[in-house]
Amino acid sequence: MEEINSLMQGFSVALTYHNLLFMLVGILLGVLIGVLPGLGGANGVAILLPLTFTMPPTSAIIMLSCIYWGALFGGAITSILFNIPGEPWSVATTFDGHPMAKAGRAGEALTAAFTSSFIGALIAVIMITFLAPLVAKFSLKFGPPEFFAVQLLTFCSFVGLGKGHPAKTITAMMLGFALAAVGLDTVTGTLRMTFGTSELLRGFDF
Amino acid sequence: MPDNGSAGDDNQRGVSTKAVEIVVAAAILMLGLVVMADSHRVGAGWASDGPQAGYFPFYIGLILCGASAWTLWRALFAGQDITGVFVSREKLRLVLSVFIPSMIYVAATYFIGIYVASALFIGAFMYWHGRFPWTKIIPVSLLVPVAVFLLFEVWFLVPLPKGPLETLIGY
């Protein structure tokens, strides 16, 4: 498999001394950023991008991706200790982590969070490396009927798995669709529901 | 008719959940009718090369009307299990004490520009909610919009809505 050759070549570049140092710096910075609520991995990478202007590109990418991974773990630290999720996806860590910290088992919670993140990330990276070409070949067969089927499944599952009354779920969904339909129609070029105002030409974009 | 008082488990006076559901369902029903009317104006049928522009929004509006009519019917006639107070009177008063000044601020921005409206808004909030002394209100509410004006109009050259005061000084 030529992926193993590429991997070995990549490892030989990544495991040099200065790249390892950049990894250390990146993870430290990343944990610092992840601990701050509101400043997540993506924002942190964007803010610390100027640090990499004088570095060789491979080292720059290594440091930026380590900042991102560090931020993922930093979010878990505040979730467990302060019940404040540092990242949007650390919210689930607050459900079990903070009660464990209040019961005095904070070290256990942090270790569990780190270990599970590590194993999950390792499996995900291995899967992406080896399965990505196969998934790419399969996704090329997706046409408009398949896209429609996926979206129909999504919206039906909203109604089926929602807690409230289905009428309210459907109302909310249709409200979202109606807001998305405002503006210039990309297929025919007519203006829908702008009622003469020019600010709504682009529609609502949030 | 829904009762607008002490319904439900808590004994506070406030707006009942049933009333809120009826009002919101009626409002969204109106919105759905607007969507359907405008889609009909654009053309909600099938042209020679596919659906017209209003085809999908028309059915979106139709389903929106149907779902909100269902909610309205349920709240009016079959809502024995919709009980309780949606928001109590004190909490509603607190929310409205921020919401209504904000609406006035947005409306005033249209007429007198965002900088003057911000000065009034900051001053009003510092006086009503913060209860600061006037020696703190006047400097903050005047200097912050001036600083924002310099930042946006002079340095970043980003135009924000302005009013008659700014045209007097030449912007």
Side-chain angles (χ1 to χ4, degrees):
Chain A
M1 294 205 256
E2 74 275 13
E3 285 114 359
I4 304 263
N5 280 340
S6 316
L7 265 183
M8 287 300 125
Q9 192 188 353
F11 276 130
S12 73
V13 170
L15 292 177
T16 52
Y17 284 120
H18 58 275
N19 278 341
L20 283 175
L21 184 67
F22 282 134
M23 279 186 224
L24 185 66
V25 170
I27 292 186
L28 275 175
L29 283 173
V31 171
L32 223 60
I33 286 179
V35 162
L36 297 170
L39 208 55
N43 292 338
V45 168
I47 289 175
L48 291 174
L49 198 60
L51 280 180
T52 63
F53 284 164
T54 54
M55 288 164 33
T58 321
S59 310
I61 297 285
I62 288 176
M63 192 171 105
L64 290 175
S65 53
C66 286
I67 291 175
Y68 189 75
W69 285 112
L72 293 182
F73 182 58
I77 294 182
T78 48
S79 309
I80 292 173
L81 294 179
F82 302 127
N83 209 21
I84 304 173
E87 300 261 313
W89 41 78
S90 315
V91 172
T93 319
T94 63
F95 299 158
D96 290 317
H98 191 65
M100 279 175 81
K102 281 203 284 204
R105 296 158 61 198
E108 220 176 290
L110 284 170
T111 315
F114 173 64
T115 315
S116 55
S117 296
F118 170 67
I119 292 180
L122 196 63
I123 294 178
V125 166
I126 291 175
M127 277 185 60
I128 282 193
T129 312
F130 293 112
L131 289 185
L134 299 170
V135 173
K137 265 193 274 211
F138 175 68
S139 69
L140 282 176
K141 298 185 191 160
F142 257 55
E146 283 80 19
F147 283 127
F148 175 73
V150 167
Q151 306 221 2
L152 188 64
L153 173 68
T154 312
F155 295 122
C156 291
S157 64
F158 281 166
V159 177
L161 299 175
K163 256 191 332 189
H165 195 256
K168 295 187 195 172
T169 314
I170 294 176
T171 309
M173 266 171 19
M174 290 299 134
L175 207 55
F177 281 135
L179 283 178
V182 171
L184 199 65
D185 180 21
T186 48
V187 175
T188 56
T190 48
L191 292 173
R192 296 191 286 212
M193 287 185 277
T194 56
F195 298 113
T197 55
S198 56
E199 283 89 358
L200 288 176
L201 261 178
R202 272 178 311 167
F204 296 107
D205 44 13
F206 48 75
Chain B
M1 269 312 288
D3 47 1
N4 242 344
S6 48
D9 352 1
D10 31 325
N11 285 330
Q12 305 170 0
R13 290 192 54 84
V15 182
S16 71
T17 311
K18 199 178 277 199
V20 171
E21 285 212 6
I22 290 174
V23 168
V24 173
I28 297 187
L29 188 66
M30 295 293 126
L31 192 66
L33 288 174
V34 165
V35 169
M36 277 168 59
D38 198 71
S39 311
H40 184 70
R41 173 190 69 90
V42 175
W46 199 272
S48 60
D49 57 346
Q52 287 179 309
Y55 184 78
F56 292 119
F58 182 78
Y59 290 107
I60 290 173
L62 190 64
I63 300 179
L64 193 58
C65 284
S68 51
W70 183 7
T71 311
L72 190 62
W73 176 87
R74 184 169 167 260
L76 278 175
F77 302 118
Q80 293 85 6
D81 46 348
I82 309 175
T83 55
V85 171
F86 186 70
V87 59
S88 64
R89 196 154 281 218
E90 301 89 56
K91 288 193 192 135
L92 187 63
R93 196 183 57 79
L94 279 176
V95 169
L96 285 180
S97 71
V98 175
F99 182 68
I100 292 182
S102 304
M103 292 295 110
I104 300 177
Y105 169 61
V106 170
T109 305
Y110 185 68
F111 293 107
I112 58 177
I114 194 173
Y115 303 106
V116 178
S118 302
L120 295 172
F121 188 60
I122 294 174
F125 262 66
M126 284 178 86
Y127 180 63
W128 283 325
H129 290 274
R131 303 191 190 281
F132 286 99
W134 282 104
T135 53
K136 286 207 185 113
I137 295 180
I138 302 277
V140 170
S141 66
L142 287 182
L143 289 180
V144 167
V146 167
V148 173
F149 179 84
L150 287 175
L151 190 70
F152 281 104
E153 300 289 337
V154 177
W155 291 325
F156 285 168
L157 294 175
V158 170
L160 291 180
K162 293 182 277 292
L165 183 66
E166 286 85 4
T167 46
L168 272 181
I169 60 177
Y171 274 92

